[in-house]
Coordinates of all heavy atoms in Angstrom, one line a residue:
M10 N 44.0 49.9 -54.1 CA 43.1 49.5 -53.0 C 41.7 49.1 -53.6 O 41.0 48.3 -53.0 CB 42.9 50.5 -52.0 CG 44.1 50.8 -51.1 SD 44.6 49.3 -50.2 CE 46.4 49.5 -50.2
D11 N 41.3 49.8 -54.7 CA 40.0 49.5 -55.2 C 39.8 48.1 -55.6 O 38.8 47.5 -55.4 CB 39.7 50.4 -56.5 CG 39.5 51.9 -56.1 OD1 39.1 52.1 -54.9 OD2 39.7 52.7 -56.9
A12 N 40.9 47.5 -56.2 CA 40.8 46.0 -56.6 C 40.5 45.2 -55.3 O 39.7 44.2 -55.4 CB 42.0 45.6 -57.3
A13 N 41.3 45.5 -54.3 CA 41.1 44.7 -53.0 C 39.7 44.9 -52.5 O 39.1 43.9 -52.0 CB 42.1 45.1 -52.0
N14 N 39.2 46.1 -52.5 CA 37.8 46.4 -52.0 C 36.8 45.6 -52.8 O 35.9 45.0 -52.3 CB 37.5 47.8 -52.1 CG 38.2 48.6 -51.0 OD1 38.7 48.1 -50.1 ND2 38.3 49.9 -51.3
R15 N 36.9 45.6 -54.2 CA 36.0 44.9 -55.0 C 36.0 43.4 -54.8 O 35.0 42.7 -54.8 CB 36.2 45.2 -56.5 CG 35.7 46.6 -56.9 CD 35.8 46.8 -58.4 NE 37.1 46.6 -59.0 CZ 38.0 47.5 -59.1 NH1 37.8 48.7 -58.6 NH2 39.2 47.2 -59.6
A16 N 37.2 42.9 -54.5 CA 37.4 41.5 -54.4 C 36.9 41.0 -53.0 O 36.4 39.9 -52.9 CB 38.9 41.1 -54.5
T17 N 37.0 41.8 -52.0 CA 36.7 41.3 -50.6 C 35.3 41.7 -50.2 O 34.8 41.0 -49.3 CB 37.7 41.9 -49.6 OG1 37.7 43.3 -49.7 CG2 39.1 41.4 -49.9
R18 N 34.7 42.7 -50.7 CA 33.3 43.0 -50.3 C 32.3 41.9 -50.4 O 31.6 41.7 -49.5 CB 32.8 44.3 -51.0 CG 33.5 45.5 -50.5 CD 32.8 46.8 -50.9 NE 33.6 47.9 -50.5 CZ 33.5 48.6 -49.4 NH1 32.6 48.3 -48.5 NH2 34.3 49.6 -49.2
P19 N 32.4 41.1 -51.5 CA 31.5 39.9 -51.5 C 31.7 38.9 -50.4 O 30.8 38.3 -49.8 CB 31.7 39.3 -52.9 CG 32.2 40.4 -53.7 CD 33.0 41.2 -52.7
V20 N 33.0 38.8 -50.0 CA 33.4 37.9 -48.9 C 32.8 38.4 -47.6 O 32.1 37.6 -46.9 CB 34.9 37.7 -48.8 CG1 35.3 36.9 -47.6 CG2 35.5 37.1 -50.1
F21 N 33.0 39.7 -47.3 CA 32.4 40.2 -46.1 C 30.9 40.1 -46.1 O 30.3 39.9 -45.1 CB 32.8 41.7 -45.9 CG 34.2 41.9 -45.3 CD1 35.1 42.8 -45.9 CD2 34.6 41.1 -44.3 CE1 36.3 43.0 -45.4 CE2 35.9 41.3 -43.7 CZ 36.8 42.2 -44.3
E22 N 30.3 40.4 -47.3 CA 28.8 40.3 -47.4 C 28.4 38.9 -47.1 O 27.4 38.7 -46.3 CB 28.4 40.7 -48.8 CG 26.9 40.7 -49.0 CD 26.5 41.3 -50.3 OE1 27.3 41.6 -51.2 OE2 25.3 41.5 -50.5
A23 N 29.0 37.9 -47.6 CA 28.6 36.5 -47.3 C 28.8 36.2 -45.8 O 28.0 35.5 -45.2 CB 29.4 35.5 -48.2
L24 N 29.9 36.6 -45.2 CA 30.2 36.3 -43.8 C 29.2 37.0 -42.9 O 28.7 36.5 -41.9 CB 31.6 36.8 -43.4 CG 32.7 36.0 -44.0 CD1 34.0 36.7 -43.7 CD2 32.7 34.6 -43.4
G25 N 28.8 38.2 -43.3 CA 27.9 39.0 -42.4 C 26.5 39.0 -42.7 O 25.7 39.6 -42.1
D26 N 26.1 38.2 -43.8 CA 24.7 38.2 -44.2 C 23.8 37.8 -43.1 O 24.0 36.8 -42.4 CB 24.6 37.2 -45.4 CG 23.2 37.4 -46.1 OD1 22.7 38.5 -46.1 OD2 22.7 36.4 -46.5
G27 N 22.8 38.7 -42.8 CA 21.8 38.4 -41.8 C 22.3 38.9 -40.4 O 21.5 38.9 -39.5
L28 N 23.5 39.3 -40.3 CA 24.0 39.8 -39.0 C 24.1 41.3 -38.9 O 24.4 41.8 -37.8 CB 25.3 39.1 -38.6 CG 25.4 37.6 -38.5 CD1 26.8 37.1 -38.3 CD2 24.5 37.1 -37.4
G29 N 24.0 41.9 -40.0 CA 24.2 43.4 -40.1 C 25.7 43.7 -40.1 O 26.0 44.9 -40.1
I30 N 26.6 42.8 -40.1 CA 28.0 43.0 -40.0 C 28.5 43.6 -41.3 O 29.2 44.6 -41.4 CB 28.8 41.8 -39.6 CG1 28.5 41.4 -38.2 CG2 30.3 42.0 -39.8 CD1 29.0 40.0 -37.8
Y31 N 28.0 43.0 -42.4 CA 28.4 43.6 -43.7 C 28.0 45.0 -43.9 O 28.8 45.9 -44.3 CB 27.9 42.8 -44.9 CG 28.1 43.5 -46.2 CD1 29.4 43.5 -46.8 CD2 27.1 44.1 -46.9 CE1 29.6 44.2 -47.9 CE2 27.3 44.8 -48.1 CZ 28.6 44.8 -48.6 OH 28.9 45.5 -49.7
H32 N 26.8 45.3 -43.5 CA 26.3 46.7 -43.6 C 27.2 47.6 -42.8 O 27.6 48.7 -43.3 CB 24.9 46.8 -43.1 CG 24.3 48.2 -43.2 ND1 24.1 48.8 -44.4 CD2 24.0 49.1 -42.2 CE1 23.6 50.0 -44.1 NE2 23.5 50.2 -42.8
A33 N 27.6 47.2 -41.6 CA 28.5 48.1 -40.7 C 29.9 48.2 -41.4 O 30.4 49.3 -41.4 CB 28.6 47.4 -39.4
I34 N 30.4 47.1 -41.9 CA 31.7 47.2 -42.5 C 31.7 48.0 -43.8 O 32.6 48.8 -44.0 CB 32.3 45.7 -42.8 CG1 32.6 45.0 -41.5 CG2 33.5 45.8 -43.7 CD1 32.9 43.5 -41.7
S35 N 30.6 47.9 -44.5 CA 30.5 48.6 -45.8 C 30.4 50.1 -45.6 O 30.7 50.9 -46.5 CB 29.4 48.1 -46.6 OG 28.1 48.5 -46.0
R36 N 30.0 50.5 -44.4 CA 29.9 52.0 -44.1 C 31.2 52.6 -43.5 O 31.2 53.8 -43.3 CB 28.7 52.2 -43.0 CG 27.4 51.8 -43.7 CD 26.3 51.9 -42.7 NE 26.2 53.2 -42.1 CZ 25.5 53.6 -41.1 NH1 24.8 52.6 -40.4 NH2 25.4 54.8 -40.6
L37 N 32.2 51.8 -43.3 CA 33.4 52.3 -42.8 C 34.1 53.2 -43.8 O 34.0 53.0 -45.0 CB 34.4 51.2 -42.4 CG 34.1 50.4 -41.2 CD1 35.1 49.2 -41.2 CD2 34.2 51.2 -40.0
P38 N 34.8 54.3 -43.4 CA 35.6 55.1 -44.3 C 36.6 54.2 -45.0 O 37.1 53.2 -44.4 CB 36.3 56.1 -43.4 CG 35.4 56.2 -42.2 CD 34.8 54.8 -42.0
E39 N 37.0 54.5 -46.2 CA 37.8 53.6 -47.0 C 39.2 53.3 -46.3 O 39.6 52.1 -46.4 CB 38.2 54.3 -48.4 CG 38.9 53.4 -49.3 CD 39.2 54.1 -50.7 OE1 38.6 55.1 -51.0 OE2 39.9 53.5 -51.5
R40 N 39.8 54.2 -45.7 CA 41.1 53.9 -45.1 C 40.9 53.0 -43.9 O 41.7 52.1 -43.7 CB 41.8 55.2 -44.6 CG 42.4 56.0 -45.8 CD 42.9 57.3 -45.5 NE 43.7 57.4 -44.3 CZ 45.0 57.6 -44.2 NH1 45.7 57.7 -45.3 NH2 45.6 57.6 -43.0
Q41 N 39.8 53.1 -43.1 CA 39.6 52.2 -42.0 C 39.2 50.8 -42.6 O 39.7 49.8 -42.0 CB 38.4 52.7 -41.2 CG 38.8 53.9 -40.3 CD 37.6 54.4 -39.5 OE1 36.6 53.8 -39.4 NE2 37.7 55.6 -39.0
Y42 N 38.5 50.8 -43.6 CA 38.1 49.5 -44.3 C 39.4 48.8 -44.7 O 39.6 47.6 -44.5 CB 37.2 49.8 -45.4 CG 36.8 48.5 -46.2 CD1 35.7 47.8 -45.9 CD2 37.6 48.1 -47.3 CE1 35.3 46.6 -46.6 CE2 37.2 46.9 -48.0 CZ 36.1 46.2 -47.6 OH 35.8 45.1 -48.3
D43 N 40.3 49.5 -45.4 CA 41.5 48.9 -46.0 C 42.4 48.4 -44.8 O 42.9 47.3 -44.9 CB 42.3 49.9 -46.8 CG 41.6 50.2 -48.1 OD1 40.7 49.5 -48.5 OD2 42.0 51.3 -48.7
A44 N 42.6 49.2 -43.8 CA 43.4 48.8 -42.7 C 42.8 47.6 -42.0 O 43.6 46.6 -41.6 CB 43.6 49.9 -41.7
L45 N 41.5 47.6 -41.8 CA 40.8 46.4 -41.1 C 41.0 45.2 -42.0 O 41.3 44.1 -41.5 CB 39.4 46.7 -40.9 CG 38.6 45.7 -40.2 CD1 39.1 45.5 -38.7 CD2 37.1 46.0 -40.2
L46 N 40.8 45.3 -43.3 CA 40.9 44.2 -44.3 C 42.3 43.6 -44.2 O 42.4 42.4 -43.9 CB 40.7 44.7 -45.7 CG 41.0 43.8 -46.8 CD1 40.0 42.6 -46.8 CD2 41.0 44.5 -48.1
F47 N 43.3 44.4 -44.4 CA 44.7 43.8 -44.3 C 45.1 43.3 -43.0 O 45.8 42.3 -42.8 CB 45.7 44.8 -44.8 CG 45.7 45.1 -46.3 CD1 45.2 46.3 -46.8 CD2 46.0 44.1 -47.2 CE1 45.2 46.5 -48.2 CE2 46.0 44.3 -48.6 CZ 45.5 45.5 -49.1
N48 N 44.6 43.9 -41.9 CA 44.9 43.5 -40.6 C 44.3 42.1 -40.3 O 44.8 41.4 -39.4 CB 44.3 44.5 -39.6 CG 44.8 44.3 -38.2 OD1 44.1 43.8 -37.4 ND2 46.0 44.8 -37.9
R49 N 43.3 41.7 -41.0 CA 42.6 40.4 -40.7 C 43.4 39.3 -41.4 O 43.1 38.1 -41.1 CB 41.2 40.4 -41.3 CG 40.3 41.3 -40.5 CD 40.1 40.8 -39.0 NE 40.4 41.8 -38.1 CZ 40.9 41.6 -36.9 NH1 41.1 40.4 -36.4 NH2 41.2 42.6 -36.1
F50 N 44.3 39.6 -42.4 CA 45.1 38.5 -43.0 C 46.3 38.2 -42.1 O 47.1 39.1 -41.8 CB 45.5 39.0 -44.4 CG 44.5 39.0 -45.4 CD1 44.1 40.2 -46.0 CD2 43.8 37.9 -45.8 CE1 43.1 40.3 -46.9 CE2 42.8 38.0 -46.8 CZ 42.5 39.2 -47.3
P51 N 46.4 36.9 -41.7 CA 47.5 36.6 -40.8 C 48.9 36.9 -41.3 O 49.8 37.2 -40.5 CB 47.4 35.1 -40.6 CG 46.0 34.8 -41.0 CD 45.5 35.8 -42.0
E52 N 49.0 36.9 -42.6 CA 50.4 37.1 -43.2 C 50.7 38.6 -43.3 O 51.8 38.9 -43.6 CB 50.5 36.5 -44.6 CG 49.6 37.0 -45.6 CD 48.2 36.3 -45.7 OE1 47.9 35.5 -44.8 OE2 47.5 36.6 -46.6
Y53 N 49.8 39.5 -42.9 CA 50.1 40.9 -43.0 C 50.2 41.5 -41.6 O 49.3 41.5 -40.8 CB 48.9 41.7 -43.7 CG 49.0 41.7 -45.2 CD1 48.4 40.7 -45.9 CD2 49.6 42.7 -45.9 CE1 48.4 40.6 -47.3 CE2 49.7 42.7 -47.2 CZ 49.1 41.7 -47.9 OH 49.1 41.6 -49.3
S54 N 51.4 41.9 -41.3 CA 51.7 42.6 -40.0 C 51.2 44.1 -40.2 O 50.9 44.5 -41.3 CB 53.1 42.6 -39.7 OG 53.9 43.4 -40.6
N55 N 51.2 44.8 -39.1 CA 51.0 46.3 -39.2 C 51.9 47.0 -40.1 O 51.6 47.8 -40.9 CB 51.0 46.9 -37.8 CG 49.7 46.7 -37.0 OD1 48.7 46.3 -37.6 ND2 49.8 46.9 -35.7
A56 N 53.2 46.5 -40.1 CA 54.2 47.1 -41.0 C 53.9 46.8 -42.4 O 54.1 47.7 -43.3 CB 55.6 46.6 -40.6
D57 N 53.5 45.6 -42.7 CA 53.1 45.2 -44.1 C 51.9 46.0 -44.6 O 51.9 46.5 -45.7 CB 52.8 43.7 -44.2 CG 54.0 42.8 -43.9 OD1 55.2 43.2 -44.2 OD2 53.8 41.7 -43.4
T58 N 50.9 46.1 -43.7 CA 49.7 46.9 -44.1 C 50.1 48.3 -44.3 O 49.6 48.9 -45.3 CB 48.7 46.7 -42.9 OG1 48.3 45.4 -42.8 CG2 47.5 47.6 -43.3
A59 N 50.9 48.9 -43.5 CA 51.4 50.2 -43.6 C 52.1 50.4 -45.0 O 51.9 51.4 -45.7 CB 52.3 50.6 -42.5
A60 N 53.0 49.5 -45.3 CA 53.7 49.6 -46.6 C 52.7 49.6 -47.8 O 52.9 50.4 -48.7 CB 54.7 48.5 -46.7
V61 N 51.8 48.7 -47.7 CA 50.8 48.6 -48.8 C 50.0 49.9 -48.9 O 49.7 50.4 -50.0 CB 49.9 47.4 -48.6 CG1 48.7 47.4 -49.6 CG2 50.6 46.1 -48.8
M62 N 49.6 50.4 -47.8 CA 48.7 51.6 -47.8 C 49.5 52.9 -47.9 O 48.9 54.0 -48.1 CB 47.9 51.6 -46.5 CG 46.9 50.5 -46.4 SD 45.9 50.6 -44.9 CE 44.9 52.1 -45.2
G63 N 50.8 52.9 -47.8 CA 51.7 54.1 -47.9 C 51.6 55.0 -46.6 O 51.7 56.2 -46.7
I64 N 51.4 54.3 -45.5 CA 51.3 55.1 -44.2 C 52.2 54.4 -43.2 O 52.8 53.4 -43.5 CB 49.8 55.1 -43.7 CG1 49.3 53.7 -43.5 CG2 48.9 55.9 -44.6 CD1 47.8 53.6 -42.9
N65 N 52.3 55.0 -42.0 CA 53.1 54.3 -41.0 C 52.3 53.3 -40.1 O 51.1 53.4 -40.0 CB 53.9 55.4 -40.1 CG 53.0 56.2 -39.2 OD1 52.2 55.6 -38.4 ND2 53.0 57.5 -39.3
P66 N 53.0 52.4 -39.5 CA 52.4 51.4 -38.7 C 51.5 51.9 -37.6 O 50.4 51.3 -37.2 CB 53.5 50.5 -38.1 CG 54.6 50.7 -39.1 CD 54.5 52.1 -39.6
G67 N 51.9 53.0 -37.0 CA 51.0 53.6 -35.9 C 49.7 54.1 -36.5 O 48.7 53.9 -35.8
T68 N 49.7 54.6 -37.7 CA 48.4 55.0 -38.3 C 47.6 53.8 -38.6 O 46.3 53.9 -38.4 CB 48.7 55.8 -39.6 OG1 49.6 56.9 -39.3 CG2 47.4 56.3 -40.2
V69 N 48.2 52.7 -38.9 CA 47.4 51.4 -39.1 C 46.7 51.0 -37.8 O 45.5 50.7 -37.8 CB 48.3 50.3 -39.6 CG1 47.5 48.9 -39.6 CG2 48.8 50.6 -41.0
R70 N 47.4 51.1 -36.7 CA 46.8 50.7 -35.4 C 45.6 51.6 -35.1 O 44.6 51.2 -34.7 CB 47.9 50.7 -34.3 CG 48.8 49.6 -34.4 CD 49.7 49.5 -33.2 NE 50.6 50.6 -33.1 CZ 51.8 50.7 -33.7 NH1 52.2 49.7 -34.5 NH2 52.5 51.8 -33.5
V71 N 45.8 52.9 -35.4 CA 44.8 53.9 -35.1 C 43.5 53.6 -36.0 O 42.4 53.6 -35.5 CB 45.3 55.4 -35.3 CG1 44.1 56.3 -35.3 CG2 46.3 55.7 -34.2
L72 N 43.8 53.4 -37.3 CA 42.7 53.1 -38.2 C 41.9 51.9 -37.8 O 40.7 51.8 -37.9 CB 43.2 53.0 -39.6 CG 43.7 54.3 -40.3 CD1 44.4 54.1 -41.6 CD2 42.5 55.3 -40.5
V73 N 42.6 50.8 -37.4 CA 42.0 49.6 -37.0 C 41.2 49.8 -35.8 O 40.0 49.3 -35.6 CB 43.0 48.4 -36.9 CG1 42.4 47.2 -36.2 CG2 43.6 48.1 -38.2
H74 N 41.7 50.5 -34.8 CA 41.0 50.8 -33.6 C 39.7 51.6 -33.9 O 38.7 51.3 -33.3 CB 41.9 51.6 -32.6 CG 41.2 52.0 -31.4 ND1 40.9 51.2 -30.3 CD2 40.7 53.2 -31.0 CE1 40.3 51.8 -29.4 NE2 40.2 53.1 -29.8
Q75 N 39.8 52.6 -34.7 CA 38.7 53.4 -35.1 C 37.6 52.6 -35.8 O 36.4 52.7 -35.5 CB 39.1 54.6 -36.0 CG 39.9 55.6 -35.3 CD 40.5 56.6 -36.3 OE1 40.6 56.4 -37.5 NE2 40.8 57.8 -35.8
A76 N 38.0 51.7 -36.6 CA 37.1 50.8 -37.3 C 36.4 49.9 -36.3 O 35.2 49.7 -36.4 CB 37.8 49.9 -38.4
H77 N 37.2 49.3 -35.4 CA 36.6 48.4 -34.4 C 35.5 49.2 -33.5 O 34.5 48.7 -33.2 CB 37.6 47.8 -33.5 CG 38.4 46.7 -34.1 ND1 39.6 46.2 -33.6 CD2 38.2 46.0 -35.2 CE1 40.0 45.2 -34.4 NE2 39.2 45.1 -35.4
S78 N 35.9 50.4 -33.2 CA 35.0 51.3 -32.4 C 33.7 51.5 -33.1 O 32.6 51.4 -32.6 CB 35.6 52.6 -32.0 OG 36.7 52.4 -31.1
K79 N 33.8 51.9 -34.4 CA 32.6 52.1 -35.2 C 31.8 50.9 -35.4 O 30.5 50.9 -35.3 CB 33.0 52.7 -36.6 CG 33.4 54.1 -36.5 CD 33.5 54.7 -37.9 CE 34.0 56.1 -37.8 NZ 33.9 56.9 -39.0
L80 N 32.4 49.7 -35.6 CA 31.7 48.5 -35.7 C 31.0 48.1 -34.4 O 29.8 47.7 -34.5 CB 32.6 47.4 -36.2 CG 33.2 47.5 -37.6 CD1 34.2 46.4 -37.9 CD2 32.0 47.4 -38.6
R81 N 31.7 48.3 -33.3 CA 31.0 48.0 -32.0 C 29.8 48.9 -31.8 O 28.8 48.4 -31.4 CB 32.1 48.2 -30.9 CG 32.3 47.1 -30.0 CD 33.3 47.3 -28.9 NE 34.2 48.3 -29.0 CZ 35.4 48.2 -29.5 NH1 35.8 47.0 -30.0 NH2 36.3 49.2 -29.6
K82 N 30.0 50.2 -32.1 CA 28.9 51.1 -31.9 C 27.7 50.8 -32.8 O 26.6 50.7 -32.4 CB 29.4 52.5 -32.2 CG 28.3 53.6 -32.1 CD 28.9 55.0 -32.4 CE 27.8 56.0 -32.3 NZ 28.2 57.3 -32.7
H83 N 28.0 50.5 -34.0 CA 26.9 50.2 -35.0 C 26.2 48.9 -34.6 O 25.0 48.8 -34.7 CB 27.5 50.1 -36.4 CG 26.4 49.8 -37.4 ND1 25.6 50.7 -37.9 CD2 26.1 48.6 -38.0 CE1 24.7 50.2 -38.7 NE2 25.0 48.9 -38.8
T84 N 26.9 47.9 -34.2 CA 26.3 46.6 -33.9 C 25.5 46.7 -32.6 O 24.5 46.1 -32.4 CB 27.3 45.4 -33.8 OG1 28.4 45.7 -33.0 CG2 27.8 45.1 -35.2
L85 N 26.0 47.5 -31.6 CA 25.3 47.7 -30.4 C 24.0 48.5 -30.6 O 23.0 48.2 -30.1 CB 26.2 48.5 -29.4 CG 27.3 47.6 -28.7 CD1 28.1 48.5 -27.8 CD2 26.7 46.5 -27.9
L86 N 24.1 49.5 -31.5 CA 22.9 50.2 -31.9 C 21.9 49.3 -32.6 O 20.7 49.4 -32.3 CB 23.2 51.4 -32.8 CG 23.9 52.6 -32.2 CD1 24.3 53.6 -33.2 CD2 23.0 53.2 -31.1
A87 N 22.3 48.4 -33.4 CA 21.4 47.5 -34.1 C 20.8 46.6 -33.1 O 19.6 46.3 -33.3 CB 22.2 46.7 -35.2
V88 N 21.5 46.1 -32.2 CA 21.0 45.2 -31.2 C 19.9 45.9 -30.3 O 18.8 45.4 -30.1 CB 22.1 44.6 -30.3 CG1 21.5 43.9 -29.0 CG2 22.9 43.6 -31.1
S89 N 20.2 47.2 -29.9 CA 19.3 47.9 -29.1 C 18.0 48.2 -29.9 O 16.9 48.2 -29.3 CB 19.9 49.1 -28.5 OG 20.2 50.1 -29.5
E90 N 18.1 48.5 -31.2 CA 17.0 48.8 -32.0 C 16.1 47.6 -32.1 O 14.9 47.7 -32.1 CB 17.4 49.4 -33.3 CG 17.9 50.8 -33.3 CD 18.5 51.2 -34.6 OE1 18.6 50.4 -35.6 OE2 19.0 52.4 -34.7
S91 N 16.7 46.4 -32.3 CA 15.9 45.2 -32.5 C 15.3 44.8 -31.1 O 14.2 44.2 -31.1 CB 16.8 44.0 -33.0 OG 17.8 43.7 -32.0
D92 N 15.9 45.2 -30.0 CA 15.3 44.9 -28.7 C 14.0 45.7 -28.5 O 13.1 45.3 -27.8 CB 16.2 45.2 -27.6 CG 17.3 44.1 -27.5 OD1 17.2 43.0 -28.1 OD2 18.4 44.3 -26.8
E93 N 14.0 46.9 -29.1 CA 12.9 47.8 -28.9 C 11.6 47.4 -29.7 O 10.5 47.8 -29.4 CB 13.3 49.2 -29.4 CG 14.3 49.9 -28.4 CD 14.8 51.2 -29.0 OE1 14.3 51.7 -30.1 OE2 15.6 51.8 -28.3
E94 N 11.8 46.5 -30.7 CA 10.7 46.1 -31.6 C 9.9 45.1 -30.9 O 10.1 44.4 -30.0 CB 11.2 45.6 -32.9 CG 11.9 46.6 -33.7 CD 12.5 46.1 -35.0 OE1 12.5 44.8 -35.2 OE2 13.0 46.9 -35.8

């Protein structure tokens, strides 16, 4: 997984530059980050992602859900903090 993380972090950084998205994604726990990463590739199903990560598909769904929740929370906090300024 480390190679995938090193290869994709610059991509996420470029996509999220200025939006705070990269910062939020970079703060995810490694397993949530990996599940979210593979889940975003159209050719990877939950079963494919689970096989690569060595976990079951249900766990992939849970990890992606947790990642989305954290990203939503982080981006909402960032928006509310910027509104206060």
